[in-house]
Amino acid sequence: MASWDREHLDLLLQASALLNSTLDLDEVLRSLLQEASRIVGAENGFILLREDEDWKLHLSINESELFSRSVATHAAESGKTLLLIDAHNDERFLNTTSVQMGTLRSILCAPVVWGQTVRGVIYLDNRVKKGVFRGEHQRLIDALSQQAATALENAALHQERERLHERAMAQARQELAYTQAQLLTASKMAAIGELAAGVAHEVNNPLCAIALNLDTVSRQVQDDKLTRRLDIMTRAVDRCRGIIDRLLNFSHPSLAERKPFRLDEVILQTLELMHYQLREYLVDYELEELTVYGDASALIQVFINLLSNSKDALPEEGGRIQLGCRASGVVELEDNGCGMSEEGRERLFEPFFTTKSVGEGTGLGWSVSYQILKDHSATIEVESEPGRGTLVRLKFPLQEPE
């Protein structure tokens, strides 16, 4: 085997070894370029890469930046290696400033192609001598351009993997932080529930004392005006005790039995509990008598969640909620709020998914409500479009679930 052929083979083997040993693109390309320049007798060697329809110098073996952009463009557009014996006198480049001003002689320029697209060029030149490069040199550069294409493609794939990995990690970190925040919020809400139950117990005792004393006083008062005032006070105390009873029942659902109850009364109790939150909006309701089986306090939580979601979606002015309960087992809640997108509807029952701003929602209301309804053998359907409000339809069985 001739000496030049051995050097040719050694260079290709070296290129293959480099490709298998490192993902450092510059290290691979610089090594290939230096060895190729040495073997073919080039003074200068460049790797040019295409960026935004223009050629950018990626690396040079001797820090020079003087090359013919026209020659590089010609090789890239033709898709074939360009071998110039004497570029200065080549008729194709007689009007090319970079060739004529630089008195460029021998030039060897090969396109680097992958994905059927020219992504770069290998550019070698000798500005002193003409006829430096020969046909066997062209074959060598063709082989090296394929190796360079492989190196560039590997680097691009590696960068894409790194980018996807980093994006996935960033998304995972964001989701983890969000989940932790939601769990913290859920824990705080549970603590607030326990605190509210304790406060309700404490308030209930003095209310009982007030009610007892009002009853005693009302029996001894003969004045009609004073009697009417005592009646107003008695009704106010009874209302407070009713609210506290419902709050205690809601705070301790484990104490409730699964038994038949009036769902229309549960809905009415929920509306009374949320009277303050809904005071600025128009709430219409039509409740037919409906008896279902299950845990009344759990279903109060469902209707609190549904009403809260509707309230948060309502416009500041003209907000309206319509609630209907039918003896057929169907309950419908409709609002004229902002509505939901298709993606929002598809992910509606995922735990911790929310369309609200950070700190405004736990992302648990819909998923918890879905599970409670499932436990009661009830179904839920949601119809919604952006800007056209939301309709929630619940269907309860009319007989006790097995």
Side-chain angles (χ1 to χ4, degrees):
M1 180 180 294
S3 173
W4 193 89
D5 289 336
R6 282 197 301 271
E7 287 188 309
H8 182 170
L9 180 60
D10 288 343
L11 179 57
L12 294 180
L13 290 174
Q14 179 184 356
S16 178
L18 277 171
L19 289 173
N20 292 323
S21 64
T22 180
L23 288 173
D24 188 334
L25 176 64
D26 288 348
E27 179 183 348
V28 174
L29 295 180
R30 184 176 296 279
S31 178
L32 292 178
L33 195 59
Q34 287 175 338
E35 287 300 305
S37 299
R38 181 185 64 80
I39 292 173
V40 302
E43 284 185 318
N44 303 290
F46 307 92
I47 296 287
L48 310 176
L49 298 181
R50 187 185 293 277
E51 294 182 12
D52 300 327
E53 303 303 321
D54 195 10
W55 294 107
K56 301 294 183 182
L57 179 62
H58 184 72
L59 62 87
S60 169
I61 59 173
N62 57 9
E63 307 304 325
S64 173
E65 296 184 3
L66 299 176
F67 62 90
S68 174
R69 193 179 304 274
S70 299
V71 172
T73 301
H74 188 281
E77 291 178 349
S78 67
K80 297 179 181 179
T81 299
L82 184 62
L83 174 59
L84 300 178
I85 303 299
D86 186 2
H88 185 71
N89 294 311
D90 192 301
E91 61 181 10
R92 291 171 294 181
F93 302 102
L94 290 178
N95 296 321
T96 302
T97 302
S98 57
V99 173
Q100 298 303 317
M101 294 294 293
T103 61
L104 297 179
R105 298 296 184 180
S106 300
I107 299 178
L108 189 56
C109 189
V112 177
V113 183
W114 86 84
Q116 298 182 341
T117 303
V118 177
R119 307 296 179 92
V121 294
I122 297 177
Y123 180 104
L124 304 174
D125 70 27
N126 190 307
R127 301 174 186 179
V128 177
K129 300 179 181 178
K130 60 182 180 180
V132 172
F133 307 132
R134 301 185 299 276
E136 57 267 26
H137 296 153
Q138 180 175 341
R139 291 191 295 273
L140 172 62
I141 295 303
D142 285 340
L144 285 178
S145 69
Q146 295 177 9
Q147 299 283 11
T150 302
L152 289 167
E153 186 173 12
N154 288 344
L157 290 174
H158 178 69
Q159 290 175 356
E160 179 65 14
R161 284 196 299 267
E162 289 291 319
R163 186 183 66 81
L164 292 175
H165 175 71
E166 182 59 32
R167 186 171 68 178
M169 290 299 295
Q171 183 177 357
R173 288 192 293 268
Q174 182 180 8
E175 290 179 354
L176 178 60
Y178 183 74
T179 300
Q180 290 174 335
Q182 298 306 322
L183 288 173
L184 178 60
T185 301
S187 176
K188 288 168 63 177
M189 293 301 292
I192 291 172
E194 291 296 323
L195 180 61
V199 171
H201 275 295
E202 293 298 324
V203 173
N204 204 30
N205 292 331
L207 280 177
C208 289
I210 293 172
L212 181 61
N213 283 279
L214 281 174
D215 182 62
T216 301
V217 171
S218 62
R219 292 178 184 179
Q220 299 176 2
V221 171
Q222 302 298 325
D223 184 86
D224 291 338
K225 291 183 178 181
L226 190 54
T227 299
R228 284 195 297 272
R229 291 183 178 275
L230 289 172
D231 288 340
I232 294 173
M233 294 171 65
T234 301
R235 287 196 299 271
V237 170
D238 289 341
R239 184 183 177 193
C240 290
R241 293 177 66 184
I243 292 173
I244 288 174
D245 288 341
R246 288 190 291 273
L247 181 60
L248 288 172
N249 190 32
F250 176 67
S251 300
H252 299 286
S254 59
L255 301 179
E257 300 179 27
R258 297 183 69 86
K259 59 184 180 180
F261 61 91
R262 291 270 300 278
L263 186 61
D264 53 300
E265 293 180 352
V266 165
I267 295 174
L268 193 58
Q269 291 176 16
T270 307
L271 290 172
E272 291 177 355
L273 277 173
M274 296 193 65
H275 172 74
Y276 182 79
Q277 290 92 328
L278 300 173
R279 68 192 185 282
E280 297 180 358
Y281 306 103
L282 177 62
V283 181
D284 293 329
Y285 58 90
E286 184 179 345
L287 307 178
E288 298 178 3
E289 183 176 328
L290 173 60
T291 300
V292 298
Y293 297 83
D295 182 349
S297 64
L299 289 176
I300 288 178
Q301 181 177 356
V302 170
F303 289 111
I304 286 178
N305 291 339
L306 296 180
L307 287 167
S308 295
N309 286 327
S310 290
K311 176 186 73 68
D312 292 341
L314 292 177
E316 294 184 1
E317 296 183 1
R320 185 184 71 255
I321 297 175
Q322 293 178 305
L323 219 169
C325 177
R326 305 286 177 260
S328 60
V330 177
V331 177
E332 290 185 339
L333 187 151
E334 186 174 9
D335 64 60
N336 64 338
C338 59
M340 289 180 284
S341 64
E342 183 177 354
E343 179 190 4
R345 293 196 307 275
E346 291 176 353
R347 301 185 61 190
L348 191 60
F349 302 111
E350 291 182 16
F352 304 115
F353 173 76
T354 180
T355 58
K356 300 177 182 178
S357 303
V358 176
E360 294 185 2
T362 63
L364 293 171
W366 285 102
S367 60
V368 169
S369 298
Y370 177 81
Q371 188 59 51
I372 292 173
L373 292 169
K374 183 179 179 182
D375 291 342
H376 286 76
S377 299
T379 61
I380 179 171
E381 301 172 0
V382 179
E383 299 176 9
S384 184
E385 293 183 19
R388 301 189 63 178
T390 300
L391 171 64
V392 180
R393 184 179 296 109
L394 312 179
K395 296 181 180 179
F396 290 88
L398 298 181
Q399 60 183 10
E400 184 174 4
E402 297 181 0

